[in-house]
Amino acid sequence: MSLNLTILGCHSATPRVNAYPTSQYLEINNRHFLIDCGEGTQRQMRKYKVGFSKINHIFISHLHGDHFFGLIGLISTFGILNREKDLHIYGPKGIKEITVLQLKLSKSWTKYQLIFHELESKESELIFEDDKVTIYTIPLDHRVYTNGFLFKEKPKLRKLHIANIQQYDEIETCDYHNIKAGKDYVLSTGEVVMNDELTIDPPKPKSYAFCSDTAYKPSIIPIIKNVDLLYHEATFLNDREDLCEKTKHSTAEQAATIANNANVEKLVIGHYSSRYSNLKGFKKEAQAVFKNVELAEAGNLHSINSFPVKVLN
Amino acid sequence: MSLNLTILGCHSATPRVNAYPTSQYLEINNRHFLIDCGEGTQRQMRKYKVGFSKINHIFISHLHGDHFFGLIGLISTFGILNREKDLHIYGPKGIKEITVLQLKLSKSWTKYQLIFHELESKESELIFEDDKVTIYTIPLDHRVYTNGFLFKEKPKLRKLHIANIQQYDEIETCDYHNIKAGKDYVLSTGEVVMNDELTIDPPKPKSYAFCSDTAYKPSIIPIIKNVDLLYHEATFLNDREDLCEKTKHSTAEQAATIANNANVEKLVIGHYSSRYSNLKGFKKEAQAVFKNVELAEAGNLHSINSFPVKVLN
């Protein structure tokens, strides 16, 4: 079980040479997801060696350019690279129309299947599930319809306590599956061996919540409660908290307050306004409320494992 | 009079870390134009210090992504930067629909005026004219409707031959405008002083032709005849000339043949296929036909003046 988040871009809209807009690559339980896709994302994927063929699901939070203007280029590039696998795209209603129009005008229909999952609900909903991972929306408060996304590993099977199992000669290897699934074992004598004698707890499933862009919205706390890793936007410092209501963004302190009240393990903040040339204030103001904070930076790998942050370049 | 061409990107579609798709910034006779706008163009403009506020006219050759996927991001950024001046966009029919849809979905209407000049003609046509410059389309042969663009300085006024003028006491400063415009001067005696005695030729007007993307198309030669600078795509080397017909691209040799037969002063080639990791063959194969060839490279400034090529970074 592992959770690795690679920041591909983490700045807000105004472009600068080394400030890419929002995009993240998430590996969770051997599943691979792209979250948001600002202009230049495909370049950043190349730079940080994110395999194009691993991406089968792309999640777009909202239709502001700094979160999705790179999507059409990536879709086109997949076509150029002769992709054959389906590509699933999750995002606000309208994302299909805009993508299809661009492909039509450029006469660049993809040979692979594009499958759109257009989102409209204002309540958190399950939008993806397989045997390893579930993904829910996190309704946010921004100037346009916006969702964050909650990625959760499914609970693993319990681990066998081999030493204890070996006390019972009649338990065979073929019984292990049921025991790992949590079932008690009934001996031939009719005696019941409780499962918690035969197994130990599996690792706690990992979870990641992505919340960008949004004004301070405490009502998301029950949805993201206890996640291992939270990315929350922090566009402003307290000096310009006055802009938050108008622009529907958050301060670093507000992001940290969400993290603290949701009891998350670790917070990563980003989406810094270009008005701040030095980012130190973001960490300082967040840490006044919540200690375990990292500043997002393109090329950083945040792992919920042994190495908390690794620099990829 | 000057003509300066800055290459912002010159590679074909497949993205790589340091290979940006087509975009060029042209200064001609103190006018400033952006030609094509692949993904990442705004980043390249920042990198090579092209002032955003100088751009009032953008020319899009065709609606393949590597030539226009950066346009919507640039338009949005102009909005974020509180642009007030009109922005004129010239490109194939459809460019308005796609731009407007993206602005609508992102609820990011620009406060400045966007003025679209949609092109449909298959003949060369005048699409821009002011007191300093004229711009014509160059119909190309590609998989979708595509135009190159011919930028021409307007002829300057003739230069005064002061020493000769001073031979005639009655010629006043207020007569200079007519003389510079080429008129003869009639003395009070009725005698006519021919204009070529009073003036010398002005510098030859400069011209630039941009031709990308296109299969080999000799019928463009009369349109681009004698230009000072020609950019012509060269996607393939002779080893893959077989791909030209299918993909509607040119080889380096074909680009050079066009340059040679059009009697241009200097040729710049680009839009290299990503199959070639080494670009030396492009120059070699082009120079076998036409000597004065440069390989396009992002950050290079091609001047029709004293310094033929300057590296900006």
Side-chain angles (χ1 to χ4, degrees):
Chain A
M1 288 185 136
S2 67
L3 188 157
N4 297 303
L5 179 72
T6 302
I7 305 295
L8 300 170
C10 56
H11 285 262
S12 58
T14 324
R16 281 151 291 157
V17 175
N18 291 312
Y20 279 81
T22 302
S23 187
Q24 303 185 350
Y25 168 59
L26 178 70
E27 292 177 271
I28 178 170
N29 217 354
N30 291 317
R31 296 288 178 264
H32 309 268
F33 302 112
L34 190 69
I35 309 166
D36 278 352
C37 194
E39 184 175 352
T41 293
Q42 55 179 333
R43 178 212 186 255
Q44 296 294 84
M45 289 172 71
R46 288 283 201 216
K47 183 168 181 183
Y48 299 118
K49 302 191 178 7
V50 175
F52 280 25
S53 63
K54 284 185 176 169
I55 303 296
N56 299 319
H57 302 270
I58 301 177
F59 297 83
I60 301 294
S61 63
H62 64 298
L63 296 183
H64 279 161
D66 55 327
H67 295 255
F68 95 107
F69 281 166
L71 179 63
I72 184 65
L74 187 61
I75 288 171
S76 299
T77 297
F78 283 162
I80 292 168
L81 298 175
N82 295 318
R83 180 190 179 99
E84 292 181 351
K85 286 188 295 180
D86 294 351
L87 180 66
H88 293 261
I89 294 169
Y90 304 75
K93 189 167 168 55
I95 199 165
K96 179 177 178 179
E97 182 186 4
I98 192 88
T99 305
V100 168
L101 178 60
Q102 287 179 96
L103 294 173
K104 182 183 127 194
L105 285 172
S106 60
K107 293 189 185 169
S108 303
W109 296 113
T110 60
K111 287 181 189 153
Y112 62 92
Q113 189 80 18
L114 275 171
I115 300 163
F116 291 91
H117 304 265
E118 293 199 314
L119 307 175
E120 295 182 84
S121 174
K122 290 180 177 174
E123 305 295 325
S124 177
E125 59 179 340
L126 177 70
I127 55 172
F128 175 92
E129 181 171 23
D130 69 4
D131 59 327
K132 293 197 168 183
V133 174
T134 52
I135 305 174
Y136 295 83
T137 56
I138 307 168
L140 299 175
D141 177 17
H142 196 43
R143 304 193 301 277
V144 292
Y145 174 73
T146 303
N147 287 296
F149 301 104
L150 172 65
F151 301 82
K152 293 170 74 170
E153 286 184 333
K154 282 197 170 171
K156 291 265 181 168
L157 294 172
R158 298 184 62 74
K159 292 200 158 190
L160 299 174
H161 192 311
I162 295 294
N164 286 3
I165 286 173
Q166 284 170 345
Q167 304 298 314
Y168 301 94
D169 284 345
E170 64 183 278
I171 301 182
E172 304 281 350
T173 314
C174 60
D175 299 317
Y176 287 0
H177 184 77
N178 281 342
I179 294 171
K180 285 198 277 188
K183 291 188 181 161
D184 300 331
Y185 189 85
V186 183
L187 298 170
S188 51
T189 60
E191 186 192 344
V192 175
V193 185
M194 302 301 285
N195 185 274
D196 59 7
E197 185 187 335
L198 302 174
T199 62
I200 49 179
D201 290 342
K204 178 179 163 280
K206 305 285 188 298
S207 55
Y208 170 58
F210 168 86
C211 297
S212 185
D213 296 358
T214 188
Y216 178 61
K217 192 182 183 198
S219 63
I220 65 173
I221 290 171
I223 305 170
I224 65 173
K225 196 87 185 173
N226 300 325
V227 297
D228 296 278
L229 184 62
L230 167 65
Y231 173 87
H232 194 290
E233 73 125 289
T235 304
F236 300 113
L237 294 177
N238 284 335
D239 64 339
R240 296 316 308 267
E241 190 187 343
D242 58 304
L243 292 177
C244 288
E245 184 50 37
K246 182 182 162 207
T247 63
K248 295 287 183 187
H249 284 300
S250 301
T251 63
E253 185 181 304
Q254 288 170 338
T257 302
I258 295 286
N260 189 58
N261 295 344
N263 191 40
V264 311
E265 185 66 28
K266 178 179 168 181
L267 170 65
V268 176
I269 53 177
H271 202 268
Y272 324 107
S273 163
S274 62
R275 74 183 58 230
Y276 303 105
S277 55
N278 187 321
L279 303 179
K280 283 182 185 168
F282 285 90
K283 190 159 185 174
K284 189 177 167 197
E285 293 192 4
Q287 281 192 323
V289 174
F290 182 82
K291 193 78 184 162
N292 194 8
V293 178
E294 293 286 344
L295 295 181
E297 185 180 338
N300 278 4
L301 174 69
H302 298 270
S303 291
I304 300 302
N305 274 320
S306 41
F307 308 105
V309 187
K310 186 178 165 190
V311 177
L312 292 179
N313 61 339
Chain B
M1 286 186 141
S2 68
L3 188 157
N4 297 303
L5 179 72
T6 302
I7 306 294
L8 300 171
C10 57
H11 286 262
S12 58
T14 324
R16 282 151 290 155
V17 177
N18 291 312
Y20 279 82
T22 304
S23 186
Q24 303 185 349
Y25 168 59
L26 179 69
E27 292 176 270
I28 179 170
N29 217 354
N30 291 318
R31 296 287 179 265
H32 310 268
F33 303 112
L34 190 69
I35 308 166
D36 277 352
C37 193
E39 183 175 352
T41 293
Q42 53 179 332
R43 178 213 186 255
Q44 296 294 84
M45 289 172 72
R46 288 285 201 215
K47 183 169 182 184
Y48 299 117
K49 302 192 177 12
V50 175
F52 280 25
S53 63
K54 283 185 176 169
I55 303 297
N56 299 320
H57 302 269
I58 301 177
F59 298 82
I60 302 293
S61 62
H62 65 299
L63 297 183
H64 279 161
D66 55 326
H67 294 255
F68 95 105
F69 280 166
L71 179 63
I72 183 65
L74 188 61
I75 288 171
S76 298
T77 297
F78 283 163
I80 291 167
L81 298 176
N82 296 318
R83 181 189 178 100
E84 292 181 352
K85 285 188 296 181
D86 294 351
L87 180 66
H88 293 261
I89 295 169
Y90 304 76
K93 188 167 169 56
I95 199 165
K96 179 177 179 180
E97 181 186 7
I98 196 129
T99 305
V100 168
L101 178 60
Q102 287 180 97
L103 294 173
K104 181 182 127 193
L105 285 172
S106 61
K107 293 189 184 169
S108 304
W109 297 113
T110 60
K111 287 182 188 153
Y112 62 92
Q113 190 80 19
L114 275 172
I115 299 162
F116 291 90
H117 305 264
E118 293 198 317
L119 307 175
E120 295 181 83
S121 174
K122 291 179 178 174
E123 304 295 326
S124 177
E125 60 178 341
L126 177 70
I127 55 172
F128 174 92
E129 180 170 22
D130 70 3
D131 58 327
K132 294 198 167 183
V133 174
T134 52
I135 305 174
Y136 295 84
T137 56
I138 307 168
L140 299 175
D141 178 16
H142 196 42
R143 304 193 303 278
V144 293
Y145 175 73
T146 303
N147 287 297
F149 301 103
L150 172 64
F151 300 82
K152 293 170 73 169
E153 286 183 333
K154 283 197 168 170
K156 290 264 182 168
L157 294 173
R158 300 185 61 74
K159 293 201 159 190
L160 298 175
H161 192 311
I162 295 296
N164 285 2
I165 286 174
Q166 285 171 346
Q167 304 297 316
Y168 302 94
D169 284 345
E170 64 183 277
I171 300 182
E172 304 281 350
T173 314
C174 60
D175 298 317
Y176 287 1
H177 183 77
N178 281 341
I179 294 171
K180 285 198 276 186
K183 292 190 180 159
D184 300 333
Y185 190 83
V186 183
L187 297 170
S188 53
T189 59
E191 183 190 347
V192 175
V193 185
M194 301 301 284
N195 186 273
D196 59 7
E197 185 186 336
L198 303 174
T199 62
I200 50 181
D201 289 342
K204 178 177 164 280
K206 306 285 189 297
S207 53
Y208 171 59
F210 168 86
C211 297
S212 184
D213 296 356
T214 188
Y216 179 61
K217 192 182 183 198
S219 62
I220 66 173
I221 290 170
I223 304 170
I224 66 173
K225 195 88 185 172
N226 299 325
V227 296
D228 296 278
L229 184 63
L230 167 66
Y231 173 88
H232 194 290
E233 74 125 292
T235 304
F236 300 113
L237 294 177
N238 284 335
D239 65 339
R240 296 316 308 267
E241 189 186 346
D242 59 303
L243 292 176
C244 287
E245 183 51 36
K246 181 182 164 206
T247 63
K248 295 286 183 186
H249 284 300
S250 300
T251 63
E253 185 181 305
Q254 288 169 339
T257 303
I258 294 286
N260 189 57
N261 295 344
N263 192 39
V264 311
E265 185 66 28
K266 178 179 169 181
L267 169 66
V268 176
I269 54 176
H271 202 267
Y272 325 107
S273 163
S274 61
R275 74 184 58 232
Y276 302 105
S277 54
N278 187 320
L279 303 179
K280 283 182 186 168
F282 285 90
K283 189 160 185 173
K284 189 178 167 197
E285 293 192 5
Q287 281 191 323
V289 175
F290 183 81
K291 194 77 184 161
N292 195 8
V293 177
E294 293 287 342
L295 296 181
E297 185 180 338
N300 277 5
L301 174 69
H302 298 270
S303 290
I304 300 301
N305 272 321
S306 40
F307 309 104
V309 186
K310 186 178 166 190
V311 178
L312 292 179
N313 60 340

